[in-house]
Amino acid sequence: MAGEAENGRDARRIGRRPTIHDVARTAAVSPATVSNVLTGRRHVDPELTSRVLSSIETLGYRRDVAASALRSTQRTVVGAVMPVLGNPFFAELVDRLEREARLAGRRLLVATSGGDPAEEERQIAAITAWRPAGIIAVPCDGKFAARVALEREGIPFVVIDRPLDDGGQVDTIAVDNFAAACEGTQRVLELGHRQLLVVVSWTTIGNIRERVAGIDTAIADVQGARAELIEAGNDVEAIAQALTASLARKPRPTAIFTLNNVLTLGTLKAIAALGLAIPDDVSLLGFDDYDWMEAYRPPLCAIRQPVAEMAHAAWERLALLTGAAPMGGAPALCHVRLPCTLAWRGSVARPRATASADSPHQEALPP
């Protein structure tokens, strides 16, 4: 044993990483026994287990997870590619996907693209090297050029949240953006608002375009209603600067519709910088709903996306594509659209010009 341990240390001294064979020689067991101790797939005699663990500590052996995954006939890794994790929506989506992975006995490998299609391709290539069971991706844009590599490698994937430009060729799990935005706009218009400011990140993103289309449809049905669109990106400070300039102009819009939670935060900063009051000076409706929005004063009207349901639907779909769930024959393409919920609160009220003298500005439609 001492001589074998010395051999293992010799391997480390010459710069070679200790292998499972080094551990087996040092413990005087077979490599299969070491593997069973590491994986727990089969019961190993406690005395042999103790020898293996002692050898692992002596040699400083570290299991090569990537190599193990490559050798395994059952792929346990699933990739998740998000634009960013600083956005609470994507952070919650990853959290929900991790829960699904744990329940399925799999591991979630998370990467971010930073909203850059080239980086998205690099990250997906890195995940592909692990030979994952599949990938769930929120693409940077409607093209999702990285899918070419996934299709070439035969790796199943599901697009979540952001529909692609070419529509029906990819399995997609998303919400009914059009219907949700249309409903929210209709409620705002019913209170008498006719001048809306719509704040978007980028119109290159499919779900944003769908939300804008829903707003346009609602406005087209109301005479005299119009909407100005501002493309402000996803940086809070840049959004605040863009909105400060827009809201300083006269006449000021009476209502603002922000199409994601980061846009809502940037808009709140702009409103505060100008000393405006919600909803007395301007009403605010946002897409995405979080606890802090209900705690804000006044509580913010928001469209709530069913994040947990989206993650579950995406995971179930990927399970079908990877053969981890029972199915009959090859599954047809899947396009799921989940309904959103409108949380109607105090940040939207009648505009001053149409509020009656005996009606407070805070008057709003009932939920």
Side-chain angles (χ1 to χ4, degrees), residues 133 283 338:
S283 288
L338 299 170

Side-chain angles (χ1 to χ4, degrees), residues 252-254 275-283 352:
R252 186 170 53 237
T254 61
L276 301 177
I278 302 173
D280 289 11
D281 297 316
V282 63
S283 288
R352 281 184 172 181

Side-chain angles (χ1 to χ4, degrees), residues 255-275:
I256 304 173
F257 194 169
T258 56
L259 299 195
N260 70 32
N261 66 88
V262 177
L263 294 165
T264 299
L265 185 56
T267 299
L268 287 171
K269 292 193 71 170
I271 290 172
L274 292 171

Side-chain angles (χ1 to χ4, degrees), residues 2 30 37 48 95 160 196 207 213 218 231 263:
S30 70
V37 170
L48 295 181
D95 178 68
I160 189 170
L196 274 67
N207 56 4
E231 196 169 20
L263 294 165

Side-chain angles (χ1 to χ4, degrees), residues 80-317:
V81 183
M82 302 286 136
V84 294
L85 291 181
N87 184 323
F89 173 82
F90 299 125
E92 182 181 0
L93 185 56
V94 167
D95 178 68
R96 293 292 180 174
L97 288 172
E98 283 186 327
R99 296 186 194 190
E100 297 288 342
R102 284 195 294 271
L103 290 173
R106 294 193 170 186
R107 294 180 181 232
L108 194 70
L109 182 61
V110 182
T112 60
S113 65
D116 177 7
E119 179 63 19
E120 182 175 73
E121 291 193 69
R122 286 190 290 270
Q123 293 285 13
I124 284 181
I127 293 176
T128 299
W130 285 71
R131 297 184 188 175
I135 288 179
I136 297 173
V138 178
C140 294
D141 56 27
K143 296 182 177 62
F144 191 35
R147 67 176 164 161
V148 174
L150 294 175
E151 291 166 347
R152 182 178 63 246
E153 296 292 331
I155 296 175
F157 66 95
V158 174
V159 167
I160 189 170
D161 180 47
R162 296 178 174 179
L164 302 187
D165 293 344
D166 61 0
Q169 301 308 308
V170 173
D171 292 279
T172 307
I173 308 295
V175 301
D176 194 340
N177 294 288
F178 179 92
C182 188
E183 179 189 3
T185 305
Q186 288 171 341
R187 295 287 295 272
V188 171
L189 294 173
E190 286 170 2
L191 281 175
H193 292 276
R194 295 297 179 265
Q195 304 297 317
L196 274 67
L197 181 63
V198 179
V199 189
V200 309
S201 51
W202 295 283
T203 54
T204 55
I205 299 174
N207 56 4
I208 294 295
R209 289 201 303 273
E210 291 178 347
R211 293 168 194 178
V212 170
I215 294 169
D216 288 342
T217 297
I219 285 178
D221 292 336
V222 177
Q223 186 175 5
R226 61 179 296 273
E228 176 190 356
L229 187 145
I230 290 183
E231 196 169 20
N234 259 332
D235 177 77
V236 172
E237 294 304 324
I239 295 165
Q241 290 179 13
L243 267 292
T244 298
S246 181
L247 292 175
R249 297 199 306 264
K250 302 294 184 179
R252 186 170 53 237
T254 61
I256 304 173
F257 194 169
T258 56
L259 299 195
N260 70 32
N261 66 88
V262 177
L263 294 165
T264 299
L265 185 56
T267 299
L268 287 171
K269 292 193 71 170
I271 290 172
L274 292 171
L276 301 177
I278 302 173
D280 289 11
D281 297 316
V282 63
S283 288
L284 178 61
L285 169 64
F287 222 99
D288 294 331
D289 185 33
Y290 295 97
D291 290 341
W292 70 265
M293 295 180 178
E294 191 168 6
Y296 192 85
R297 289 295 175 265
L300 302 181
C301 289
I303 293 171
R304 183 182 302 118
Q305 298 196 71
V307 181
E309 289 84 349
M310 290 174 67
H312 182 68
W315 194 268
E316 283 198 326
R317 182 59 186 175

